Amino acid sequence: MNKSQIRKKILRIRKQKKIKKFVFNFDLISNILKRKKISGKIIGGYYPYNYEVDILQILEKFEEKKFIITLPKIKKNSQMNFYQWSINDPLAINKFGIPEPISKMVKYPDVLLVPLVAFDKNFNRIGYGGGFYDRYINKIKKKKNVLTIGFAYSFQKVKKIPTNKYDIRLDFIITNK
């Protein structure tokens, strides 16, 4: 299957399942940060959209532990940056229907929590096809070391994701299993 076929299939399954709760082991995430010696306190998150794994409770837990939370904002030319956001801050809806922070304070995350549509055992991912995260990860890795952690349901795992030179592999993927 090509990326488009995989994307359509997994999005259809994800929508049908409409999973409401994803129970997180925050200690697992903390241990990953400790093991990788991540000392920075800026977390790049995402606001769940289109039946993505809801990570808001994780972001809230990070905020309680005095981390700076950021969310992405789509810019012109299919670029994005991450802007400071607090769990109680208002959001604006972008042209894709995705909530974004209204802050103008750009921050470069130390840890990037990445939504995905499908993944494989080699930590390759498929998103919605716009290449936003691949471009952003490529850009930020030129500025600083960033740890990338994908979040998905176990049923989103496929045998093999076809990749090209623009695709960026994640460091970790956490599922409900």
Side-chain angles (χ1 to χ4, degrees):
M1 279 197 280
N2 66 30
K3 285 183 183 181
S4 180
Q5 292 166 320
I6 293 169
R7 185 178 295 111
K8 284 180 186 159
K9 178 183 177 186
I10 300 298
L11 284 174
R12 187 181 69 250
I13 293 168
R14 192 168 74 181
K15 184 176 181 181
Q16 287 168 348
K17 290 190 178 274
K18 293 182 188 164
I19 299 171
K20 295 285 185 237
K21 271 290 174 209
F22 188 110
V23 179
F24 291 104
N25 179 345
F26 190 78
D27 291 337
L28 171 70
I29 299 166
S30 292
N31 289 338
I32 290 171
L33 301 188
K34 283 180 193 141
R35 200 168 21 143
K36 288 296 182 177
K37 296 179 175 44
I38 303 297
S39 58
K41 292 281 207 173
I42 303 174
I43 303 292
Y46 63 88
Y47 200 91
Y49 162 81
N50 197 21
Y51 307 104
E52 291 169 341
V53 172
D54 184 342
I55 64 163
L56 293 177
Q57 61 183 305
I58 290 176
L59 297 179
E60 195 166 353
K61 190 86 164 167
F62 273 121
E63 194 168 55
E64 286 170 12
K65 296 191 177 293
K66 306 297 181 221
F67 282 75
I68 294 171
I69 306 302
T70 65
L71 293 180
K73 248 194 224 190
I74 305 296
K75 302 180 337 179
K76 289 180 172 51
N77 303 325
S78 297
Q79 296 294 315
M80 73 179 182
N81 268 329
F82 281 72
Y83 293 80
Q84 191 163 339
W85 178 75
S86 171
I87 210 81
N88 297 315
D89 288 350
L91 296 158
I93 305 299
N94 72 14
K95 66 181 180 180
F96 300 107
I98 302 169
E100 295 181 331
I102 56 176
S103 166
K104 305 247 187 285
M105 195 177 307
V106 174
K107 296 281 184 181
Y108 295 102
D110 300 300
V111 178
L112 193 58
L113 309 181
V114 183
L116 51 92
V117 173
F119 69 98
D120 67 17
K121 68 178 190 227
N122 297 316
F123 304 107
N124 294 305
R125 68 177 277 280
I126 292 177
Y128 292 107
F132 292 99
Y133 277 89
D134 291 319
R135 272 191 298 282
Y136 184 77
I137 293 167
N138 188 40
K139 176 176 81 173
I140 193 174
K141 284 196 177 210
K142 292 175 183 168
K143 295 179 187 301
K144 70 190 291 187
N145 192 16
V146 63
L147 182 74
T148 56
I149 305 173
F151 284 86
Y153 299 106
S154 58
F155 66 82
Q156 291 175 263
K157 185 175 185 180
V158 298
K159 194 171 183 82
K160 183 158 177 47
I161 301 279
T163 60
N164 63 42
K165 66 180 182 177
Y166 301 110
D167 294 320
I168 306 222
R169 187 183 314 209
L170 299 176
D171 297 312
F172 292 91
I173 294 177
I174 295 176
T175 72
N176 51 318
K177 300 279 177 165

